[in-house]
Amino acid sequence: MPIRAHTLEADFPEYAATIRQMRQEDVDFKIESDDYNKLDKEIRGLEERGVATDDNHFNELKIRRAHMKDRLYRRLRNGHG
């Protein structure tokens, strides 16, 4: 079974248009969302390779992803940086 991506578009489909617009108009948002997507891809790769869920590095990456997602979500809700 494939590991589900946690891209901003997948997790917040109601903000898809805002995500696209902000990625075009806000360089900081684009950089931060690119970093978030890279981190999500890294985590999915580890999950697909069966990394133990108690692995400290793996858990730190997931916590970092959650914090990044929260920050990006707040920016999306506000419609700006």
Side-chain angles (χ1 to χ4, degrees):
M1 183 162 108
I3 305 297
R4 184 176 90 75
H6 287 276
T7 63
L8 294 176
E9 295 84 354
D11 286 350
F12 306 119
E14 68 277 18
Y15 287 105
T18 303
I19 292 167
R20 284 190 299 276
Q21 179 181 358
M22 287 180 69
R23 286 182 54 79
Q24 291 176 353
E25 297 174 0
D26 184 331
V27 174
D28 291 332
F29 183 86
K30 180 179 182 343
I31 291 168
E32 194 170 354
S33 63
D34 284 347
D35 289 345
Y36 172 83
N37 288 330
K38 286 177 197 168
L39 179 59
D40 179 59
K41 186 175 181 177
E42 179 181 353
I43 290 169
R44 281 185 288 128
L46 292 171
E47 289 173 331
E48 288 169 357
R49 289 192 294 281
V51 168
T53 57
D54 62 351
D55 179 82
N56 284 336
H57 176 68
F58 179 66
N59 285 323
E60 288 171 10
L61 293 176
K62 289 179 80 172
I63 290 167
R64 195 165 109 216
R65 178 178 66 184
H67 288 297
M68 290 176 80
K69 182 189 282 188
D70 288 345
R71 209 169 33 250
L72 288 163
Y73 176 70
R74 282 193 302 274
R75 293 182 71 183
L76 286 170
R77 266 196 2 231
N78 293 331
H80 56 77

